[in-house]
PDB file of all heavy atoms in Angstrom:
ATOM      1  N   ASP Y  92      20.487 -20.490 -21.461  1.00  0.00           N
ATOM      2  CA  ASP Y  92      20.174 -21.924 -21.537  1.00  0.00           C
ATOM      3  C   ASP Y  92      18.708 -22.164 -21.818  1.00  0.00           C
ATOM      4  O   ASP Y  92      18.324 -23.317 -22.167  1.00  0.00           O
ATOM      5  CB  ASP Y  92      20.512 -22.593 -20.197  1.00  0.00           C
ATOM      6  CG  ASP Y  92      21.967 -22.611 -19.887  1.00  0.00           C
ATOM      7  OD1 ASP Y  92      22.799 -22.768 -20.799  1.00  0.00           O
ATOM      8  OD2 ASP Y  92      22.326 -22.487 -18.676  1.00  0.00           O
ATOM      9  N   MET Y  93      17.875 -21.172 -21.609  1.00  0.00           N
ATOM     10  CA  MET Y  93      16.414 -21.393 -21.550  1.00  0.00           C
ATOM     11  C   MET Y  93      15.813 -22.056 -22.798  1.00  0.00           C
ATOM     12  O   MET Y  93      14.978 -22.958 -22.669  1.00  0.00           O
ATOM     13  CB  MET Y  93      15.679 -20.080 -21.215  1.00  0.00           C
ATOM     14  CG  MET Y  93      15.847 -19.658 -19.764  1.00  0.00           C
ATOM     15  SD  MET Y  93      15.279 -20.871 -18.558  1.00  0.00           S
ATOM     16  CE  MET Y  93      13.493 -20.616 -18.619  1.00  0.00           C
ATOM     17  N   PRO Y  94      16.202 -21.617 -24.000  1.00  0.00           N
ATOM     18  CA  PRO Y  94      15.608 -22.260 -25.193  1.00  0.00           C
ATOM     19  C   PRO Y  94      15.835 -23.786 -25.161  1.00  0.00           C
ATOM     20  O   PRO Y  94      14.903 -24.547 -25.432  1.00  0.00           O
ATOM     21  CB  PRO Y  94      16.318 -21.575 -26.354  1.00  0.00           C
ATOM     22  CG  PRO Y  94      16.776 -20.267 -25.842  1.00  0.00           C
ATOM     23  CD  PRO Y  94      17.111 -20.468 -24.391  1.00  0.00           C
ATOM     24  N   VAL Y  95      17.071 -24.203 -24.879  1.00  0.00           N
ATOM     25  CA  VAL Y  95      17.378 -25.624 -24.832  1.00  0.00           C
ATOM     26  C   VAL Y  95      16.662 -26.255 -23.650  1.00  0.00           C
ATOM     27  O   VAL Y  95      16.045 -27.337 -23.774  1.00  0.00           O
ATOM     28  CB  VAL Y  95      18.911 -25.863 -24.723  1.00  0.00           C
ATOM     29  CG1 VAL Y  95      19.205 -27.335 -24.483  1.00  0.00           C
ATOM     30  CG2 VAL Y  95      19.598 -25.394 -25.989  1.00  0.00           C
ATOM     31  N   ALA Y  96      16.730 -25.612 -22.487  1.00  0.00           N
ATOM     32  CA  ALA Y  96      16.184 -26.181 -21.280  1.00  0.00           C
ATOM     33  C   ALA Y  96      14.661 -26.437 -21.405  1.00  0.00           C
ATOM     34  O   ALA Y  96      14.136 -27.447 -20.926  1.00  0.00           O
ATOM     35  CB  ALA Y  96      16.482 -25.288 -20.071  1.00  0.00           C
ATOM     36  N   LEU Y  97      13.971 -25.500 -22.041  1.00  0.00           N
ATOM     37  CA  LEU Y  97      12.509 -25.630 -22.137  1.00  0.00           C
ATOM     38  C   LEU Y  97      12.103 -26.676 -23.173  1.00  0.00           C
ATOM     39  O   LEU Y  97      10.986 -27.163 -23.106  1.00  0.00           O
ATOM     40  CB  LEU Y  97      11.881 -24.269 -22.505  1.00  0.00           C
ATOM     41  CG  LEU Y  97      11.946 -23.216 -21.404  1.00  0.00           C
ATOM     42  CD1 LEU Y  97      11.511 -21.877 -21.926  1.00  0.00           C
ATOM     43  CD2 LEU Y  97      11.072 -23.658 -20.217  1.00  0.00           C
ATOM     44  N   SER Y  98      12.973 -27.004 -24.069  1.00  0.00           N
ATOM     45  CA  SER Y  98      12.557 -27.958 -25.161  1.00  0.00           C
ATOM     46  C   SER Y  98      13.039 -29.373 -24.892  1.00  0.00           C
ATOM     47  O   SER Y  98      12.543 -30.305 -25.499  1.00  0.00           O
ATOM     48  CB  SER Y  98      13.059 -27.439 -26.505  1.00  0.00           C
ATOM     49  OG  SER Y  98      14.460 -27.527 -26.513  1.00  0.00           O
ATOM     50  N   LEU Y  99      14.001 -29.549 -23.974  1.00  0.00           N
ATOM     51  CA  LEU Y  99      14.673 -30.831 -23.931  1.00  0.00           C
ATOM     52  C   LEU Y  99      13.988 -31.891 -23.069  1.00  0.00           C
ATOM     53  O   LEU Y  99      14.080 -33.070 -23.322  1.00  0.00           O
ATOM     54  CB  LEU Y  99      16.127 -30.649 -23.403  1.00  0.00           C
ATOM     55  CG  LEU Y  99      17.133 -31.692 -23.804  1.00  0.00           C
ATOM     56  CD1 LEU Y  99      17.209 -31.816 -25.309  1.00  0.00           C
ATOM     57  CD2 LEU Y  99      18.511 -31.348 -23.238  1.00  0.00           C
ATOM     58  N   GLY Y 100      13.304 -31.466 -22.003  1.00  0.00           N
ATOM     59  CA  GLY Y 100      12.687 -32.477 -21.110  1.00  0.00           C
ATOM     60  C   GLY Y 100      13.674 -32.983 -20.054  1.00  0.00           C
ATOM     61  O   GLY Y 100      13.403 -33.984 -19.402  1.00  0.00           O
ATOM     62  N   ALA Y 101      14.824 -32.339 -19.906  1.00  0.00           N
ATOM     63  CA  ALA Y 101      15.719 -32.607 -18.771  1.00  0.00           C
ATOM     64  C   ALA Y 101      15.387 -31.586 -17.687  1.00  0.00           C
ATOM     65  O   ALA Y 101      14.800 -30.554 -17.973  1.00  0.00           O
ATOM     66  CB  ALA Y 101      17.161 -32.472 -19.191  1.00  0.00           C
ATOM     67  N   ARG Y 102      15.763 -31.905 -16.427  1.00  0.00           N
ATOM     68  CA  ARG Y 102      15.419 -30.991 -15.327  1.00  0.00           C
ATOM     69  C   ARG Y 102      16.606 -30.158 -14.925  1.00  0.00           C
ATOM     70  O   ARG Y 102      17.692 -30.721 -14.665  1.00  0.00           O
ATOM     71  CB  ARG Y 102      14.933 -31.777 -14.112  1.00  0.00           C
ATOM     72  CG  ARG Y 102      13.666 -32.578 -14.354  1.00  0.00           C
ATOM     73  CD  ARG Y 102      13.003 -32.942 -13.039  1.00  0.00           C
ATOM     74  NE  ARG Y 102      13.841 -33.727 -12.176  1.00  0.00           N
ATOM     75  CZ  ARG Y 102      13.849 -35.052 -12.186  1.00  0.00           C
ATOM     76  NH1 ARG Y 102      13.062 -35.741 -12.996  1.00  0.00           N
ATOM     77  NH2 ARG Y 102      14.654 -35.726 -11.370  1.00  0.00           N
ATOM     78  N   PRO Y 103      16.468 -28.848 -14.828  1.00  0.00           N
ATOM     79  CA  PRO Y 103      17.567 -28.031 -14.237  1.00  0.00           C
ATOM     80  C   PRO Y 103      17.601 -28.276 -12.737  1.00  0.00           C
ATOM     81  O   PRO Y 103      16.562 -28.483 -12.109  1.00  0.00           O
ATOM     82  CB  PRO Y 103      17.110 -26.596 -14.552  1.00  0.00           C
ATOM     83  CG  PRO Y 103      15.639 -26.649 -14.581  1.00  0.00           C
ATOM     84  CD  PRO Y 103      15.271 -28.032 -15.119  1.00  0.00           C
ATOM     85  N   VAL Y 104      18.799 -28.282 -12.188  1.00  0.00           N
ATOM     86  CA  VAL Y 104      18.966 -28.265 -10.724  1.00  0.00           C
ATOM     87  C   VAL Y 104      19.139 -26.826 -10.315  1.00  0.00           C
ATOM     88  O   VAL Y 104      20.206 -26.231 -10.544  1.00  0.00           O
ATOM     89  CB  VAL Y 104      20.183 -29.112 -10.278  1.00  0.00           C
ATOM     90  CG1 VAL Y 104      20.318 -29.115  -8.780  1.00  0.00           C
ATOM     91  CG2 VAL Y 104      20.050 -30.541 -10.810  1.00  0.00           C
ATOM     92  N   LEU Y 105      18.083 -26.212  -9.795  1.00  0.00           N
ATOM     93  CA  LEU Y 105      18.083 -24.774  -9.530  1.00  0.00           C
ATOM     94  C   LEU Y 105      18.909 -24.472  -8.281  1.00  0.00           C
ATOM     95  O   LEU Y 105      18.736 -25.113  -7.234  1.00  0.00           O
ATOM     96  CB  LEU Y 105      16.654 -24.276  -9.373  1.00  0.00           C
ATOM     97  CG  LEU Y 105      15.758 -24.615 -10.574  1.00  0.00           C
ATOM     98  CD1 LEU Y 105      14.321 -24.176 -10.322  1.00  0.00           C
ATOM     99  CD2 LEU Y 105      16.268 -23.894 -11.859  1.00  0.00           C
ATOM    100  N   ASN Y 106      19.838 -23.512  -8.400  1.00  0.00           N
ATOM    101  CA  ASN Y 106      20.845 -23.291  -7.390  1.00  0.00           C
ATOM    102  C   ASN Y 106      20.713 -21.896  -6.709  1.00  0.00           C
ATOM    103  O   ASN Y 106      21.342 -21.680  -5.689  1.00  0.00           O
ATOM    104  CB  ASN Y 106      22.264 -23.356  -7.985  1.00  0.00           C
ATOM    105  CG  ASN Y 106      22.600 -24.717  -8.504  1.00  0.00           C
ATOM    106  OD1 ASN Y 106      22.647 -25.661  -7.734  1.00  0.00           O
ATOM    107  ND2 ASN Y 106      22.837 -24.840  -9.802  1.00  0.00           N
TER     108      ASN Y 106
END
Side-chain angles (χ1 to χ4, degrees):
D92 294 322
M93 288 301 282
V95 172
L97 290 171
S98 66
L99 205 58
R102 298 199 300 269
V104 180
L105 304 175
N106 297 297

